[in-house]
Amino acid sequence: PLSHRPPAMARWICLALARLTLAEVISLDATTELRVCAANVLRITKWPSAAAKAKGRISLVAKTEWPETRFEVHESPEEIKVTTSDVSFTFTRATGANSFGTPSQQVILEDAGHSFIATE
């Protein structure tokens, strides 16, 4: 019977062409990072303090390798904008507010920013 599975050498070549990389990390402020994982996957992480951020990740991320992704970063004193071919992200420096949108900046999801309250 014919098999649909390519020979081992062909599978290796396909994997080599995929060019997987780690997500690009953009530091937004002392407690907030944005990871550009793929053109349609941006991951924002917020820590309660800079000291907590220095300890490392606080969430489990199962997937660590992503396809190489082109993106642009535009910074001004007021905000940071990141745009891929599929999505845009805006971070307001003064308040920590952020939004996700289309590449043409039409807002899809908006967040006013967060503060953490100590539980100890």
Side-chain angles (χ1 to χ4, degrees), residues 52-106:
K53 181 180 175 185
K55 290 180 183 178
R57 298 218 31 104
I58 59 172
S59 62
L60 173 65
V61 177
K63 185 172 181 176
T64 58
E65 292 183 332
W66 296 89
E68 189 172 1
T69 303
R70 293 181 187 266
F71 62 94
E72 295 181 5
V73 179
H74 298 280
E75 294 189 51
S76 71
E78 295 81 28
E79 61 189 16
I80 300 171
K81 290 186 178 192
V82 179
T83 306
T84 72
S85 60
D86 293 349
V87 69
S88 65
F89 173 81
T90 303
F91 178 81
T92 305
R93 294 178 193 265
T95 63
N98 59 78
S99 64
F100 291 87
T102 64
S104 62
Q105 307 292 321
Q106 181 181 0

Side-chain angles (χ1 to χ4, degrees), residues 10-27:
R11 287 193 309 270
W12 181 84
I13 291 171
C14 290
L15 289 174
L17 293 175
R19 290 206 57 182
L20 296 177
T21 62
L22 297 176
E24 295 285 336
V25 179
I26 301 165
S27 183

